[in-house]
Amino acid sequence: MIDMISVIEELSGLTTRELGEMLKESESFVLQSKADDGGPKQVDMEKLVSSLPLHLLAVCLDLGRGSDLTYVLRGMRFLHSLSELATRHTRLEQVLLDDVKLSEQVMDLIFFVLSILSHWKKENHLGASPFIHTSLVAASLHLLTSYFSSQWHELVHILLAHPKVDIFMDVAFDSLHEDMRILSARLLTYDTKAFSAGPFDSQLTHFICQQCEASLQFLLLLCQQKLFRDRILKNKELCRNGGILSLSLTILKLGVPECLKGSMDIASSISRLKAKILSILLQLCEAESISYLDEVATLEKSMELGQTLALEVLDLLKTAFGRKQKPAASSHHKNYPMGSVLISALRLVDVFSDDSNFRSSFITNTIPFLTQILATPHDDFVSSWCSVNLPVMEDDANLDYDPFGAAELALAAASNMLTEAKANYSCPFRSISMPSIAYAQTRTSCVVKIIANLHVFVPNICEEQERDLFLQKFQKYLLSESPRPSLDHPASNEATTVCRNLGSLSHYAKSLIPNNLLNEEDVQLLSEFAYKLQLWCKSQVGQRTLQVAKSDTSSQMKEDQQLVQQPLPTSANITSVPDSNTDNPPQVVQNIEESTATPSKQEGNARDETPRNRASVNGGLLQNSVGQNLIHLGVARTAMPCYPGASAATSMEVKRCKSADHFRTPETTKGSGLRDDDDERRPKRKKRTIMNDEQVNEIENALVDEPEMHKSATSLQAWAEKLSGQGSEITSSQLKNWLNNRKAKLARIAKERGGPYDGENADKPSTPASSSPSGDSSESAGEESYLPPSRVLRHIQGARAMTPDTSEPITQAELNQNIMTNRPFTRSFSFEPGRLVLLIDNEGNEIGRGEIFQVEGRAQGKSLLESHICIIDVTELKIEKWRELPHPSEASGRTFQEAESMHGGVMRVAWDVVRLAPVLL
């Protein structure tokens, strides 16, 4: 009989080299050693090796009743040594590896040990320290490659042939999850202000990290084999019940405590743990046999885990890209590979954004991360996302696991015999990083595909409310996150930067198509998103500029205000100068220069040589020393006969700000009677506009069909409600005032230019005040600065090219432009089916050519003027097919591309008559 316990404790401490030398010296495969009493002791290696697996199984069954996991770890280490030695010792190979029954026992031992470790808890008092537990999980898993096969495809066939392979999968991932909980608890213990971790604590923590990484790496390499991965996808506990998701969340939430921030070993190891678990998730998500995310979505609990995991991945990316990445020294960087965390996370976000189970809930949460990338300064963005020469690269690595050294340190630490000198254990690793060009291009392609996935709309699959949903949420986020507009910065710099960067990304993305990193649809969707966002951004710039102009500027100017008291000149210094216009009173001219009060806050750079405290009065205007008109004086009394109280002096307050353009003209009092000789010299009062550009364009287009809108209360109310949805709120009375002012303005312009204005009554009062009710005079006055669109102004002047009896030749370009500047009823052209026409956009530019298929309404006896719509078969298109049609519908499509697909290859679209021009032959 062999004393198995004493023999294992003695022999398991020998290295492979020492054990091999003893076997060479032995006779008949019997080792000679010394007993405890000093006498000789013989050990039959054949009996020892044949009995070892069953012996360790018996010890595992007796755990908690005198045995502990420390001894099991010694036995596992001994099996590792024997397996390695068997490849160089023929007799040992015959006994240990060629015996099928013994191989089955070794497999059962591995499964059983992992089963125990997967349910290990501190309260069970199994006598295992965190070092023993983590080392034993890694040793058990790596015994599969040490004993059975180091070739992964062969090992997978061996595992899948075992009847308990599903149990192995469960306990392998569960025991690893328990390791991660141990590591997390240890890190949380250090994450307190009162605790200060020394070098010894840091070394022990790093040791646990390495054992966890070795186990996770083993499972990752198994999952990279298609057969094993497909079998995992059928495992109910790991996939449908969220076992792998739960493990992934535990790993992704690991963080380096403040007291261990200086330990690059720990930081790099934890980072590689995250990279490896993300790689496992990717392997499962990209499998073709079974949809992993469909399995996850089967149960509500698993779906919630998946959504939580997606948010955790996004937080990881936001944190990483939120830091200013600086190139690290190559030697330092190579010594601490962090793993491909970012590239794996980006690829996983791409998967989530393309999955119907997660896409809708993923849209809102993805926008802050994308904005963070796209809002970086343009030069930084181009160098980071539109280039293959990245300043920072991710280095990944695989550990070369050493079970003997790991077990030795774990046993010493568990028995409190470990010294700081021996604790400096580190597994060697092998670099497996991607080539720099492939890494950079893959990284960029992921961002492009994420945007494309979130922006795509598939009519037969997506709900109608999902159309442009991502674009709308993106716009809303930009508005909510952009800084408050100011006079100096009226538009959102962030939105402008995002649009500019998207344009560069769209251009660069085309170069990734030949490398099969992107397809044409991805790039087209990105371009469409960038184009629509840019149009919106331009409209927002105009709207926000108007908002700033309309806002109370006093809040912006309070810090720059100063009070200037200007005494009136005496009669000796005043000369009456008759104005050329006899209706105007004489002007007040002052030839002296006075100094203003010194401002309480000195403004501008101290080096500015322009005097800021000097001003002169000249021609009724306050000027600075370089002759800039600052503010109209508005004097209340003068010494002239027409103005009583010549000796009285008055004072006024002058607001001072950064630019002369910000000054406003104060209202002249009735008693002053002063008027300038030239209206051009009077600074204009800032007008208040009730509608933005989009609203004005909308109402201008509506007036083509409904020129007498202002006479219909129902129509006014309907249009007021519609316009309010596109900008600031507008009442029907405000809209009516605006229309009246517009008519008056057009009539006034027509009178000045000596030409009639069709459709507008030139006899109407030409002033806003006379054309609006007294109760709405403020709204009317606010629209005095409105200037009608160029097409309306050109129509006032008349269109030479559209006159039927003109003898002057016209060009196609002139005709196209005149088509946009005149109303339909002013034309003499006939639009009939079969006629060749040009398609014109709102700016008068030709965007395509086609043939009239049908004039809408003609079948019912309507005239062209009554229908206003033609159905056109487009034969040549000069813009992108994804552009939206002017009259989209479910039947005819919403884009040129949809229209073409819905009509069997014929691009049949509805087009406004006002935007059609005949082709000149």
Side-chain angles (χ1 to χ4, degrees), residues 839 847-851 853 871-883 885 892 895-911:
L839 280 67
I847 63 171
R849 299 192 175 206
E851 180 180 327
F853 174 76
I871 306 300
I872 308 297
D873 286 345
V874 181
T875 57
E876 178 184 352
L877 189 65
K878 297 183 178 181
I879 61 175
E880 296 84 354
K881 288 186 178 181
W882 49 259
R883 296 290 183 90
L885 298 173
S892 60
T895 64
F896 289 97
Q897 189 172 16
E898 289 184 14
E900 185 177 30
S901 62
M902 289 183 176
H903 295 92
V906 178
M907 199 181 299
R908 184 165 294 164
V909 301
W911 208 260

Side-chain angles (χ1 to χ4, degrees), residues 600-657:
S600 57
K601 286 187 179 181
Q602 185 63 32
E603 180 180 306
N605 194 312
R607 299 178 181 177
D608 190 352
E609 298 177 358
T610 302
R612 296 179 180 271
N613 61 341
R614 302 290 292 173
S616 64
V617 179
N618 186 7
L621 297 173
L622 182 64
Q623 296 185 338
N624 63 8
S625 60
V626 293
Q628 293 174 313
N629 294 340
L630 297 182
I631 192 165
H632 184 64
L633 283 177
V635 181
R637 295 179 177 87
T638 70
M640 300 306 295
C642 298
Y643 306 96
S647 61
T650 61
S651 64
M652 62 172 297
E653 295 181 355
V654 180
K655 292 184 178 182
R656 180 173 166 276
C657 67

Side-chain angles (χ1 to χ4, degrees), residues 254-273:
L254 293 175
V256 182
E258 192 64 34
C259 61
L260 296 176
K261 289 286 187 181
S263 175
M264 286 300 299
D265 288 325
I266 295 176
S268 60
S269 185
I270 291 178
S271 182
R272 290 194 301 270
L273 284 172

Side-chain angles (χ1 to χ4, degrees), residues 852-871 887 910-911 913:
I852 296 179
F853 174 76
Q854 178 183 349
V855 179
E856 185 178 305
R858 283 299 178 90
Q860 289 77 25
K862 293 184 179 181
S863 65
L864 179 63
L865 176 60
E866 292 174 316
S867 62
H868 293 300
I869 297 292
C870 278
I871 306 300
H887 299 284
W911 208 260
V913 172

Side-chain angles (χ1 to χ4, degrees), residues 651-669:
S651 64
M652 62 172 297
E653 295 181 355
V654 180
K655 292 184 178 182
R656 180 173 166 276
C657 67
K658 297 178 181 179
S659 172
D661 295 333
H662 296 159
F663 282 91
R664 303 290 180 263
T665 304
E667 297 294 336
T668 305
T669 60

